[in-house]
């Protein structure tokens, strides 16, 4: 049986990739730092995956085992024996797993006839593949540097499956249970593979992968964030509630349309396909069974208002393509007002706004010159938020 090594046994590791491995005939070994998860996977050799939809179903993902991330030698041996590997550990953890990956590469390619190995890098970072490659190189013996470049693929992926936060009731039901939506496609960078592309269900190798990275960020992430920030101003707790609010829905659709038009112009992508993707996302956001909270999607507004992220990045792309991002600016203006008291980043954002006004946020967080075109549009959108009753006059 083919073997897959999965670094990270969380929402994406078990909730997405584990299903693909099982359905494709792989035995999967998960690597994680949580003792209870590692022990339970080894004891049971399977775990439940619940697809939450109008007609929910629970799958049993079998042929699984686990290793503790601290057992570097065992993980390195597993890398040496794997037919396919992947990471889903979080961007901040990538540098921490790089030494173990380096150890595994040295073990594997001590055999000159070893087959190439590909790591599918499932992280929320543009350029995650090259980033991880260079982190691994830092810990690799120099004699393996050429092997790293020629025989090891670090394949960037675009993760679109939504995995909501589990409720306490669901966690109590089974510590290994993961709830996910039905969507299960995995676009990846076709050009980054070394050797044959592995056979994996729902793997979608794309030659023009930069376009798909931006599609994820400027269609999926943009529309989701727009629904959350506008929904928050309207007092909604869940994304599905925001989607039933005609004003939020109209704002989200208009912002997404601007981004779709810009992506079509920039990358030559089919506009009808982009619009169909946006419509499917809107349908998925209405899934009540996901229990997707506005607060979860709106969290960390400082990162989401970054110069290259979903709102400001999309707005700048629109301007580069000759499109006025009026509705994206409106979403950004709403994000600037996000002030959930339990969100530390929201508190820092509001402190910046209290100190220097929206202009300070635009300059210090969004990386915009206050006199720029996008800054002007966001300032005008802030005035519209008051005029149209989205926020109080003094907010």
């Amino acid at each position: 049986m083919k073997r897959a090594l999965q670094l990270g046994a969380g929402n994406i590791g078990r909730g997405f990739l584990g299903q693909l491995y099982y359905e494709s005939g792989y035995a999967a070994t998960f690597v994680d730092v949580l003792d209870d998860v590692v022990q339970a996977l080894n004891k049971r050799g399977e775990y439940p995956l619940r697809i939450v939809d109008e007609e929910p179903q629970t799958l049993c993902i079998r042929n699984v085992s686990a290793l503790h991330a601290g057992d570097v030698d065992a993980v390195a041996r597993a890398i040496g024996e794997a037919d396919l590997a992947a990471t889903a550990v979080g961007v901040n953890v990538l540098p921490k797993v790089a030494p173990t990956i380096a150890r595994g590469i040295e073990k594997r390619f001590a055999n000159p006839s070893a087959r190439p190995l590909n790591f599918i890098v499932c992280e929320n970072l543009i350029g995650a593949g090259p980033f991880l490659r260079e982190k691994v190189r830092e810990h690799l013996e120099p004699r393996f540097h050429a092997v790293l470049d020629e025989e090891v693929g670090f394949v960037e992926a675009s993760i679109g499956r939504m995995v909501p936060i589990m409720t306490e009731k669901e966690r109590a039901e089974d510590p290994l249970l993961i709830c996910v939506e039905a969507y299960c496609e995995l676009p990846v960078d076709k050009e980054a593979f070394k050797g044959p592309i592995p056979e994996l269900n729902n793997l979608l190798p794309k030659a023009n992968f930069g376009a798909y990275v931006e599609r994820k960020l400027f269609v999926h992430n943009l529309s989701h964030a727009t629904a959350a920030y506008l929904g928050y101003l309207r007092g909604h707790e869940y994304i599905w509630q925001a989607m039933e609010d005609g004003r939020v829905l109209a704002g989200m659709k208009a912002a997404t349309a601007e981004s779709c038009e810009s992506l079509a112009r920039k990358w030559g992508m089919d506009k009808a396909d982009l619009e169909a993707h946006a419509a499917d996302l809107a349908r998925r956001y209405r899934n009540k069974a996901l229990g997707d909270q506005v607060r979860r999607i709106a969290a960390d507004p400082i990162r989401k208002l970054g110069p290259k992220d979903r709102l400001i990045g999309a707005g700048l792309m629109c301007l580069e393509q000759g499109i006025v991002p009026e509705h994206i600016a409106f979403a950004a203006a709403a994000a600037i007002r996000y002030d959930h008291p339990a969100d530390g980043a929201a508190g820092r954002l509001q402190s910046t706004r209290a100190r220097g006004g929206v202009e300070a946020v635009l300059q210090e967080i969004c990386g915009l010159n206050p006199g720029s075109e996008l800054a002007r549009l966001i300032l005008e959108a802030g005035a519209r938020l008051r005029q149209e009753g989205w926020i109080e006059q003094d907010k």
Side-chain angles (χ1 to χ4, degrees):
M1 181 175 282
K2 297 176 292 184
R3 302 204 63 83
L5 182 74
Q6 175 60 48
L7 299 174
N11 288 343
I12 300 303
R14 276 186 293 136
F16 186 10
L17 294 162
Q19 179 184 352
L20 303 188
Y21 299 143
Y22 176 61
E23 293 177 347
S24 304
Y26 285 81
T29 299
F30 292 91
V31 179
D32 209 274
V33 296
L34 298 178
D35 291 325
D36 55 345
V37 170
V38 171
Q39 291 169 8
L41 287 171
N42 283 327
K43 181 179 180 179
R44 292 160 55 176
E46 61 185 37
Y47 65 91
L49 182 71
R50 182 166 299 159
I51 310 296
V52 291
D53 213 331
E54 292 181 1
E55 297 183 4
Q57 59 174 318
T58 300
L59 308 177
C60 184
I61 308 302
R62 297 188 171 90
N63 300 325
V64 302
S65 59
L67 296 170
H68 194 281
D71 191 347
V72 175
D73 285 338
V75 177
R77 285 195 299 273
I79 291 172
E81 298 167 359
D83 296 289
L84 175 64
T87 76
V89 296
V91 172
N92 294 334
V93 181
L94 284 179
K96 298 178 181 179
V97 301
T100 301
I101 293 175
R103 181 88 63 89
I105 289 172
E106 290 172 355
K107 281 185 176 294
R108 184 185 187 93
F109 292 101
N111 176 2
S113 62
R115 292 172 290 111
L117 178 64
N118 291 291
F119 286 84
I120 299 178
V121 186
C122 302
E123 311 293 346
N124 189 21
L125 173 70
I126 293 177
F131 174 82
L132 181 55
R133 178 185 297 279
E134 295 313 308
K135 289 298 176 184
V136 170
R137 191 187 306 276
E138 292 173 7
H139 301 278
L140 203 61
E141 291 183 23
R143 64 192 178 98
F144 288 102
H145 285 188
V147 167
L148 178 71
D149 293 327
E150 297 167 8
E151 302 293 335
V152 185
F154 291 91
V155 182
E156 194 168 351
S158 177
I159 306 299
R161 174 173 261 188
M162 292 185 286
V163 185
I165 296 174
M166 301 273 288
T167 66
E168 289 302 320
K169 182 179 179 181
E170 288 168 333
R171 292 183 186 280
E173 179 182 342
D174 187 328
L176 289 183
L177 174 66
I178 294 282
C179 295
V180 299
E181 67 164 341
Y183 180 86
C184 198
E185 293 183 352
L186 183 61
V188 294
D189 183 1
K190 181 179 180 180
E191 306 302 324
F193 284 99
K194 303 297 183 181
I197 296 176
E199 295 182 3
L200 193 67
N201 279 16
N202 294 329
L203 189 75
L204 304 177
K206 301 292 183 180
N208 191 21
F209 191 66
Y212 286 87
V213 171
E214 291 202 348
R215 188 187 80 157
K216 170 60 165 47
L217 188 61
F218 298 146
V219 179
H220 189 162
N221 295 146
L222 167 76
S223 60
H224 220 181
T226 300
Y229 291 123
L230 294 181
Y232 179 76
L233 294 183
R234 296 279 285 171
H236 299 303
E237 181 179 359
Y238 295 101
I239 292 294
W240 67 261
Q241 293 172 326
M243 298 302 296
E244 291 186 349
D245 183 326
R247 295 183 71 187
V248 174
L249 182 60
M252 187 201 77
K253 285 185 173 180
T256 309
E258 291 170 348
S259 193
C260 286
E261 175 66 32
S262 298
L263 286 166
R265 293 187 187 185
K266 178 177 179 179
W267 294 100
M269 302 177 83
D270 186 276
K271 185 179 176 183
D273 287 346
L274 287 166
E275 291 172 343
H277 177 57
D280 184 59
L281 286 168
R283 176 193 63 79
R284 289 159 59 192
Y285 297 159
R286 293 186 179 92
N287 186 349
K288 295 181 182 180
L290 276 175
D292 210 3
Q293 294 179 310
V294 165
R295 176 184 166 190
R296 184 181 80 87
I297 304 306
D300 195 5
I302 289 178
R303 176 172 63 86
K304 291 167 185 172
L305 282 163
K308 297 181 180 180
D309 214 283
R310 61 211 69 195
L311 296 167
I312 305 305
L316 292 172
M317 177 184 67
C318 286
L319 290 171
E320 290 171 357
Q321 299 303 318
I323 295 165
V324 179
E326 176 184 352
H327 299 285
I328 293 174
F330 194 74
I336 290 171
R337 270 76 180 178
Y338 182 67
D339 60 358
H340 196 288
D343 189 314
R348 294 190 295 276
L349 170 65
Q350 296 313 315
S351 294
T352 301
R353 187 164 74 92
R355 170 175 50 79
V358 174
E359 291 84 355
V361 174
L362 293 174
Q363 189 163 15
E364 297 173 24
I365 294 174
C366 304
L368 296 175
N369 185 318
S372 67
E373 177 68 3
L374 185 54
R376 180 186 66 79
L377 289 168
I378 294 172
L379 290 169
E380 291 177 355
R384 280 180 53 211
L385 286 172
R386 295 187 180 88
Q387 293 164 4
E388 297 177 9
W390 291 82
I391 60 175
E392 299 174 1
Q393 288 299 316
D394 60 347
K395 187 170 183 180

